[in-house]
Each structure stands twice: as structure tokens, then as C-alpha cells.
Amino acid sequence: MFNVVLFEPEIPQNTGNIARTCAATGCRLHLIEPLGFKIEDKYLKRAGLDYWPLVEVITYKNIDEFYEKNPEVKENIYYLTTKGSIRYDKVSYKEGDYFMFGPETRGLPEELLHDNYGQAVRIPMIEEARSLNLSNSVAIVVYEAVRQTDAAGLLEKGHLTKF
């Protein structure tokens, strides 16, 4: 199981989509306040559809509380940012890793990145593009980690329902 961490997410639809990805992959979803929406937001619930019971969501008042309640995180966290110097697919992920993503309009704080730059990871894109959509970025990184761990615990084969 992996851990997706959203630092001060702003857009409920993105967080709902991310919750659905977490549900489908068995990831925990960590939300660090302040949030740009209420957990009860109809757009958040609609984007997550009926997957909410399948995802463990943990909220924190601030980043200090997140680190305090997850002391193991310093050993296995990656900070996803357009300012990173390590390609996301060049990292060797392992179960239990944490992937932290920043708010949609500004990304992770530079002070946080500076203090953890050896763990700052980037998804490649053309120079002119500012960034990818947050929920797309989460899906890209989570599924790379799932691929590297051979989809451990996930259903790999589907079946037809009409035949």
C-alpha cells in the first residue's frame, strides 16, 4: 500500500478523482489542511462516486501534525514538483512510500523542497507547460509505483459480464 499526501489541496473535483485512484489501488489518502473545500462538498463526493467507502482518508491540521503522526515518513517520502530534478520513473518505489503533492495553484513550498531536494521528483513535460492536472499527476506516479511492485494485491484480470 502507498500513501498519497495532498498538501493544502484547493479543488474538490481533483481530490475526489484522487480519492477514486486511491480506492482503486489501495492507497491511503492524507489531506493536510487548510483545504480549499469542505469534506462534505458535493463536487468532492461526486468526483469520488461510490468509491469513498474503499479509501482511508486521514486529515491533519497542518504539515507538522502530519510528520508527527507519521514518524516513518522521512525515510520514504517523495515530493512531487515541477522543480524536482529526479524523474518519477527513475525512483525505486516500495510499499509504504508516501507521495506528497502541493496545491493546484502554487505547488509545494520552496522551503520544503529545499530541505528535501534529494527526494524532489518530477514528471517530464515540455518546458512551456507549467504543470499537469493534479489528479493526473497522482495517477501517473501511483501507477508507476504499482507497476514497480508488480501490482501486489490488485486484481489483474477482468472478465466479461455478458458472455
Side-chain angles (χ1 to χ4, degrees), residues 135-151:
S135 63
N136 291 339
S137 296
V138 170
I140 289 167
V141 173
V142 165
Y143 271 95
E144 173 61 18
V146 164
R147 184 194 67 78
Q148 287 186 20
T149 56
D150 201 29

Side-chain angles (χ1 to χ4, degrees), residues 45-148:
K45 296 296 183 187
R46 184 178 302 145
L49 297 174
D50 57 345
Y51 287 81
W52 287 104
L54 300 176
V55 63
E56 180 181 356
V57 181
I58 307 163
T59 59
Y60 306 90
K61 295 292 180 199
N62 54 49
I63 197 165
D64 293 331
E65 182 184 11
F66 167 74
Y67 287 128
E68 179 184 310
K69 291 190 174 179
N70 301 284
E72 76 285 357
V73 78
K74 286 290 189 182
E75 304 300 318
N76 57 346
I77 187 167
Y78 298 97
Y79 300 89
L80 280 296
T81 174
T82 58
K83 298 169 182 156
S85 62
I86 305 165
R87 269 182 37 180
Y88 82 102
D89 59 340
K90 300 298 182 188
V91 175
S92 295
Y93 301 112
K94 61 189 177 315
E95 286 192 40
D97 282 348
Y98 289 77
F99 309 118
M100 184 180 288
F101 298 82
E104 291 89 338
T105 60
R106 60 189 186 279
L108 291 169
E110 283 215 5
E111 299 79 22
L112 179 65
L113 296 174
H114 177 268
D115 294 344
N116 300 283
Y117 203 65
Q119 295 159 280
V121 177
R122 175 185 172 82
I123 299 170
M125 64 188 88
I126 65 170
E127 186 174 346
E128 295 80 13
R130 283 191 319 276
S131 65
L132 293 169
N133 173 274
L134 179 60
S135 63
N136 291 339
S137 296
V138 170
I140 289 167
V141 173
V142 165
Y143 271 95
E144 173 61 18
V146 164
R147 184 194 67 78
Q148 287 186 20

